[in-house]
């Protein structure tokens, strides 16, 4: 960048800004350098000497960042630990070790191989998912930035190679690669604009300023001999504080946050800046706010551990019974069994040492009955979850065509958690909104202009129209086009009676013609103001002044657009940009700014020719969250001094003169209408000043501006207040903070599904409240509870204690108010800022705060830091004990995404930090509806049914081993061939259960969305509560008893073959195993609600595979097949009893479940049973009235969302109508 470029950008903003850009003198800095003694202030940075910081004693970390769970050294130990946190794996590890001893009933390979396969597969999946995180990290680490290489030469380097002390040059619209000290910028006075949306969610640009001493460093060559020392605080997570000193030429200059550029914020409206690196990598403030990637486990998986404990207890119990029985038989009966040669045996079967023999047999029994604990359960779940994740990734309904981003399950461990979410904690900027402001409506001189409806109005109207059409089908022929262009809430006084009678008919005539070429930031339509038509309005002079305020009251810079011939505006906030675009479209174009003047080109005036006017900028009192207003004092071409002001209505209305309230009543009513439509509003006012009055005030203002000391800001505020009074109201603006597509409808559906939604944002309170209205988290009539911090410094000797007591009192009073509320339709919203939240999250108050928040319909936390987001998430997660989901798109959301049970990242425009830390990523917030209500519901039910079925079949199979061993004198003999047992879980019953976990659907995706209340089956844990688990276990116990005792009793005393031979153990064992295969596969077929050819293939194919195996196994050599040689072909198949036993036992095993499900569907059906029956009999097509009635009932009771908003509106209209009818009745009677 040459010096010439810098000269062109010679606006000295520090001369204009009142509060943000004051640079104290060097003398003050020398005397006021920060004291940096004590712990926490050991950081020393040698500027332009990066090599110094690579060696001890400094040795600061590199700029490399990692969000992975593992690295090359920690993968094996950590991944193995993760696998053996699972109780079943721990048991099978012990069993595998014991299988190496002589007491094992099976070979060591048959125990070790399945364990190695299961653990290895799970570790491979973990490695693959972490590798994807590593690739995302490398994309960030490989970004390039211009860095000083020495001798005044700059070149590009990867972010990961940046070191503390490096001088970097960041260009417009680039992210800062590390935490930097601003040295200079393309503006002469070292000002730059920074967008921190990625850190705190704020869309307004922040102004940063360099020290006076570093201003001369304007070009690359100037850094050839640059040197300096920075002494500052150690790395910490505080985004809004910084304490340090800069030493240069034996002078010390104090540093504060206004000179610090934080990693992941973006340079805006500034061509370039130079900065020196202070904190790198994980020392940077944004990374200090993040936490290590946590290891998350679903609630079902945690509960599975308890079931494993129960089964393990059962295993130990029956093993003890078996070993005691064996010891008793060894001592008392074995001496009489001469054929076993009891006097010539080992210690395993020694009648003289029955206790020792019993202990050895205990080990044998623990291994033998190990089939009670299903080792293949975990690997089957892993396979199912990976396939479920593939379906999520490939869901075309969650693919965003604009960005090309599909949904992505970044970890498949938590699929079923998606179906159990109770509370969603959402970021605002970039998650709910797309950070685009559209000028939509305005009120000028008490008249409302603008006929285009906001997204909220259109969504609510569509909903209401749908309700009316369902009640009155004849109205359904109204065109969709008209529906989209009505003005829903904005009715004139003359129309009120009609609209009340018609319940505010949703179709109204659209004024004006549709615009063919939409303009970004300007969606306003009204022929009364467009194309100079405002000149014919009765208040044309007021309208012109309104346009001039839009064009003059700002801090933007115009940039000529060569393509269009017009101007683009570099504004501090999207609101300002929208106002300037609106002014331009209305014919009042801001075209030029100098150090002292603003030029606007007025296209429409009485002369009929465009006129360029110059307005001298005398003072600028900029906007801040505390002031909630902005003013500019200008002198027009006639010498008239004007104060032009815009701000929040609550602030401006208090400052109006008596003669300035002419339009107050009308404007207030219209502001309420705009607010109900979810629009952001600002009020515009002005004041004429006389020269003497202005001169006197300006002298006071200059004194306050040059004051040195802590009272300076208070003085400036007081002087500004003196001027910003006696205002004359002009009108108001209504800007739509564009929500992401489908956000209101998504929130409405999630609320109907019974989910609670909290908004956690770093943005200011007013903006958050506006978005709350736009999303229908807030609505008119909802009682808002504000918890705020009072200023107790002057009121108490212990301000901290007084503040906490005051906050606690506010929380207590609010909780009491909610309890005493008797109106069933009353709804409460809790709104709290970050400063207050820091106290509310302390241990002695957080439970009371949580109790209040849970009682409220919606919760909005404003001005919260990333760490506070994580702390709130932790409080909700641990305090309620329910599943939480956090969703965000920026680096400031990483903490809460990692802290929540489920983290969802928005793969939007701004960075990938949230996505890299997330468990699932989606391109738009609206896809969360399908992710939870459809995939979450399916995955939860599939996994729950799959796990219950797994325990059922293993209990049914494993207990038959125990019964047979007891039947044979606790001999340790297995009734089944070793190959049968090996194939039971691996092949013969694995594929049907996997098909259940992957393809099962109780209802279709469309029905899930039409009946959102079905989702509550997950949070209520309907399919995996202890009642259902114990029921399935009892079913397995019953099946095992039927299979064993029916087989034994039938075969016991009758001939098996035609020749009169009885059945041997091989025949009995094979028949029992056949019954098990048929029983468990028919059971899973009865469990399934949704069949595809894949399920049929797997279920019936598994039974066919068993017979095929018997044939092939029987055909093998007797050395290999043993007693199973030709067992099916020669022994079992010719015997009718074999087939009849199979049929009888299969029917007997499944009869209780069939009876239960028939009774339940007939007398106590669940929600999905009713829907399945309606769909089966096609009642949704044949009986629309019933279908509509059932849909209306399939909503959880909620106080938020579009539907509730419309219902509240209808109740309001009905109430007014009832009053009017009663009044008419009284008049008629009288």
């Amino acid at each position: 960048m040459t010096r010439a470029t810098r000269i062109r950008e010679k606006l000295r903003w520090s001369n204009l800004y009142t509060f943000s850009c004051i640079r104290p003198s060097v003398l003050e800095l020398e005397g006021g350098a920060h004291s940096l003694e004590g712990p926490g202030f050991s950081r020393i940075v040698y500027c332009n000497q990066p090599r110094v910081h690579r060696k001890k004693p400094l040795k600061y970390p590199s700029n490399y960042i990692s969000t992975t769970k593992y690295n090359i050294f920690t993968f094996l130990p950590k991944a193995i630990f993760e696998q053996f946190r699972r109780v079943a794996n721990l048991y099978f590890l012990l069993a595998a070790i014991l299988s190496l001893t002589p007491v094992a009933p099976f070979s060591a390979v048959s125990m070790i191989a399945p364990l190695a396969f299961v653990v290895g597969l799970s570790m491979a999946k973990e490695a693959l998912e972490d590798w994807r995180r590593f690739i995302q990290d490398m994309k960030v680490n490989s970004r390039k930035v211009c860095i000083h290489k020495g001798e005044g030469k700059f070149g590009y380097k990867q972010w990961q190679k940046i070191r503390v002390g490096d001088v970097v040059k960041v260009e417009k619209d680039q992210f800062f690669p590390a935490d930097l000290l601003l040295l200079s910028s393309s503006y002469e006075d070292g000002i730059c604009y920074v967008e921190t949306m990625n850190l705190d969610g704020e869309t307004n640009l922040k102004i940063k300023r360099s020290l006076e001493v570093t201003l001369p460093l304007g070009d690359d060559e100037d850094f050839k001999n640059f040197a300096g020392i920075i002494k500052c605080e150690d790395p910490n997570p505080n985004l809004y504080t910084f304490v340090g000193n800069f030493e240069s030429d034996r002078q010390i200059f104090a540093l504060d946050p206004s000179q610090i550029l934080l990693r992941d914020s973006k340079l805006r409206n500034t061509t370039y800046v130079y900065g020196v690196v202070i904190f790198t990598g994980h020392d940077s403030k944004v990374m200090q706010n993040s936490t290590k990637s946590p290891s998350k486990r679903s609630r079902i998986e945690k509960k599975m551990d308890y079931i494993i404990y129960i089964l393990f207890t059962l295993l130990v119990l029956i093993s003890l019974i078996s070993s005691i029985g064996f010891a008793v038989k060894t001592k008392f009966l074995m001496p009489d069994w001469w054929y076993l040669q009891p006097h010539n045996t080992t210690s395993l079967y020694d009648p003289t040492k029955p206790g020792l023999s019993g202990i050895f047999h205990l080990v044998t029994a623990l291994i033998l009955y190990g089939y009670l604990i299903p080792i293949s359960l975990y690997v089957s779940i892993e396979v199912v979850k990976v396939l479920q994740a593939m379906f999520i990734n490939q869901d075309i309904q969650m693919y965003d065509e604009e960005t090309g981003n599909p949904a992505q399950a970044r970890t498949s461990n938590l699929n079923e958690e998606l179906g159990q979410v109770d509370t969603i904690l959402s970021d605002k900027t970039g998650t709910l909104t797309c950070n685009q402001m559209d000028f939509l409506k305005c009120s000028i001189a008490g008249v409302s202009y603008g006929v285009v409806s906001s997204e909220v109005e259109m969504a609510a109207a569509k909903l209401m129209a749908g309700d009316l059409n369902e009640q009155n089908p004849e109205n359904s022929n109204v065109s969709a086009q008209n529906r989209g262009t009505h003005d829903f809430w904005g009715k004139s006084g003359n129309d009120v009676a009609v609209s009340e009678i018609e319940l505010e008919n949703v179709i109204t005539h659209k004024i004006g013609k549709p615009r063919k070429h939409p303009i970004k930031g300007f969606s306003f339509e009204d022929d009364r103001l467009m194309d100079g038509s405002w000149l014919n309005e009765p208040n044309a002079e007021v309208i012109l002044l309104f346009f001039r305020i839009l064009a003059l009251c700002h801090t933007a810079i115009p940039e000529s657009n060569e393509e269009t011939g017009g101007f683009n505006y570099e504004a501090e906030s999207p609101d300002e940009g929208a106002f300037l675009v609106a002014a331009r479209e209305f014919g009042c174009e801001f075209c030029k700014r100098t150090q002292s003047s603003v030029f606007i080109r007025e296209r429409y005036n009485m002369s009929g020719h465009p006129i360029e006017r110059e307005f001298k900028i005398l003072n600028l009192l900029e906007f801040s969250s505390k002031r909630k207003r902005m003013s500019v004092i200008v002198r027009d071409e006639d010498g008239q001094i004007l104060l032009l002001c815009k701000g929040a209505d609550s602030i401006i209305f208090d400052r109006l003169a008596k003669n300035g309230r002419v339009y107050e009543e009308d404007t207030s009513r219209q502001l309420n209408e705009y607010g109900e439509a979810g629009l952001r509003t600002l009020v515009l006012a002005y004041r004429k000043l006389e020269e003497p009055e202005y001169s006197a005030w300006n002298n006071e203002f200059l004194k306050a501006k040059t004051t040195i000391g802590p009272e300076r800001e208070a003085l400036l505020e007081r002087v500004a207040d003196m001027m910003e009074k006696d205002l004359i109201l002009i009108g108001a603006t209504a800007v739509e903070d564009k929500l992401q597509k489908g956000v209101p409808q998504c929130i409405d559906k999630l609320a109907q599904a019974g989910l609670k939604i909290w908004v956690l944002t770093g943005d200011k309170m007013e903006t958050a409240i506006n978005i709350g209205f736009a999303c229908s988290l807030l609505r008119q009539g909802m009682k808002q509870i504000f918890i705020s911090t009072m200023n107790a410094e002057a009121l108490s000797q212990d301000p901290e204690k007084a503040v906490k007591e005051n906050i606690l009192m506010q929380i207590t009073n609010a909780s009491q108010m909610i309890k005493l509320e008797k109106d069933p339709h009353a709804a409460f919203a809790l709104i709290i800022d970050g400063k207050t939240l820091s106290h509310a999250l302390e241990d002695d108050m957080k439970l009371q705060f949580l109790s209040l928040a849970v009682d409220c319909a919606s919760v909005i936390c404003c001005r919260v830091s990333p760490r506070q987001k994580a702390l709130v998430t932790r409080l909700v997660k641990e305090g309620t004990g329910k599943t939480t989901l956090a969703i965000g798109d920026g680096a400031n959301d990483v903490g809460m995404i990692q802290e929540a049970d489920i983290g969802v990242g928005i793969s939007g425009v701004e960075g990938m930090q949230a996505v890299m830390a997330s468990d699932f990523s989606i391109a738009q917030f609206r896809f969360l509806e399908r992710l939870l209500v459809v995939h979450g519901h399916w995955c939860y039910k599939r996994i729950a049914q799959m796990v219950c079925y797994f325990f059922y079949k293993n209990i049914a199979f494993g207990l038959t081993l125990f019964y047979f061993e007891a039947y044979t004198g606790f001999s340790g003999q297995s009734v089944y061939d070793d190959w049968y047992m090996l194939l039971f879980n691996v092949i013969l019953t694995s594929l049907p259960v996997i098909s259940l976990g992957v393809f099962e659907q109780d209802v279709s995706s469309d029905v899930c969305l039409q009946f959102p209340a079905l989702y509550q089956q997950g949070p209520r844990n309907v399919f995996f509560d202890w009642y259902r688990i114990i029921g399935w276990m009892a079913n397995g116990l019953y099946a095992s008893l039927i299979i064993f005792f029916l087989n034994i009793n039938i075969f016991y005393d009758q001939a098996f073959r035609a020749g009169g031979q009885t059945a041997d153990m091989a025949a009995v064992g094979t028949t029992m195993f056949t019954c098990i295969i048929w029983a468990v596969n028919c059971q899973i077929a009865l469990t399934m609600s949704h069949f595809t050819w894949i399920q049929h293939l797997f279920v019936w194919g598994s039974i066919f595979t068993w017979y095929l195996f018997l044939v092939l196994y029987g055909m093998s050599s007797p050395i290999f097949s043993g007693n199973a040689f030709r067992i099916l072909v020669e022994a079992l198949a010719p015997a009718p009893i074999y087939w009849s036993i199979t049929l009888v036992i299969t029917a007997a095993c499944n009869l209780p479940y069939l009876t239960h499900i028939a009774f339940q569907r007939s007398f106590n059906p669940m929600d999905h049973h009713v829907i399945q029956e309606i769909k089966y009999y096609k009642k949704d097509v044949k009986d629309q009235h019933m279908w509509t009635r059932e849909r209306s009932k399939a909503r959880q009771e909620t106080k938020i969302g579009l539907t509730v908003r419309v219902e509240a509106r209808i109740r309001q209209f009905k109430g007014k109508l009832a009053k009017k009818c009663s009044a008419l009745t009284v008049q008629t009677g009288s």
Side-chain angles (χ1 to χ4, degrees), residues 811 840 842-853 875 879:
I811 292 173
E842 292 179 7
D843 290 340
D844 56 349
M845 204 186 302
K846 64 183 182 183
L847 293 180
Q848 292 95 317
F849 167 69
L850 179 63
S851 176
L852 171 63
L875 175 63

Side-chain angles (χ1 to χ4, degrees), residues 767-883:
T767 306
I769 290 172
N770 282 330
I771 293 302
F773 276 103
C775 296
S776 294
L777 291 172
L778 303 176
R779 56 183 165 81
Q780 293 296 329
M782 182 179 273
K783 299 175 183 178
Q784 297 177 12
I785 299 170
F786 292 91
I787 307 294
S788 57
T789 307
M790 69 171 189
N791 186 3
E793 292 183 8
L795 303 176
S796 174
Q797 293 180 345
D798 189 352
E800 187 74 12
K801 183 180 178 183
V803 166
K804 289 180 67 174
E805 288 177 352
N806 178 258
I807 293 171
L808 187 59
M809 184 179 69
Q810 291 180 62
I811 292 173
T812 305
N813 292 343
S815 297
Q816 193 67 23
M817 179 176 68
I818 293 174
K819 287 177 183 175
L820 296 174
E821 179 60 56
K822 295 181 180 179
D823 181 3
H825 299 297
F828 296 87
L830 176 63
I831 301 165
I832 186 170
D833 61 35
K835 188 177 179 182
T836 312
L837 193 62
S838 62
H839 296 292
L841 291 175
E842 292 179 7
D843 290 340
D844 56 349
M845 204 186 302
K846 64 183 182 183
L847 293 180
Q848 292 95 317
F849 167 69
L850 179 63
S851 176
L852 171 63
V854 168
D855 288 339
C856 291
S858 58
V859 180
I860 298 177
C861 302
C862 321
R863 288 286 183 190
V864 291
S865 67
R867 186 167 289 271
Q868 284 179 320
K869 288 185 177 185
L871 290 173
V872 170
T873 305
R874 182 183 301 170
L875 175 63
V876 178
K877 180 175 73 173
E878 296 176 354
T880 63
K882 296 177 180 177
T883 304

Side-chain angles (χ1 to χ4, degrees), residues 6 23 181-185 187-192 208-216 255 258-259 274:
R6 193 171 191 200
R23 184 180 289 108
L181 169 68
L182 175 62
L183 298 175
S184 63
S185 78
Y187 292 110
E188 263 194 0
D189 52 357
I191 296 297
C192 74
K208 300 290 183 176
R209 59 178 176 80
S210 67
L211 293 172
E212 194 83 41
V213 70
T214 59
L215 279 181
L255 299 175
S258 64
Q259 285 106 32
Y274 292 102

Side-chain angles (χ1 to χ4, degrees), residues 81 114 126 206 223 351 356 713 769 888 906 915 955 1022 1123 1226:
F81 170 75
E126 287 283 310
K206 309 293 189 303
F223 288 92
L356 184 62
E713 190 171 338
I769 290 172
I906 302 285
V915 170
I955 287 173
V1022 169
N1123 292 333
V1226 171

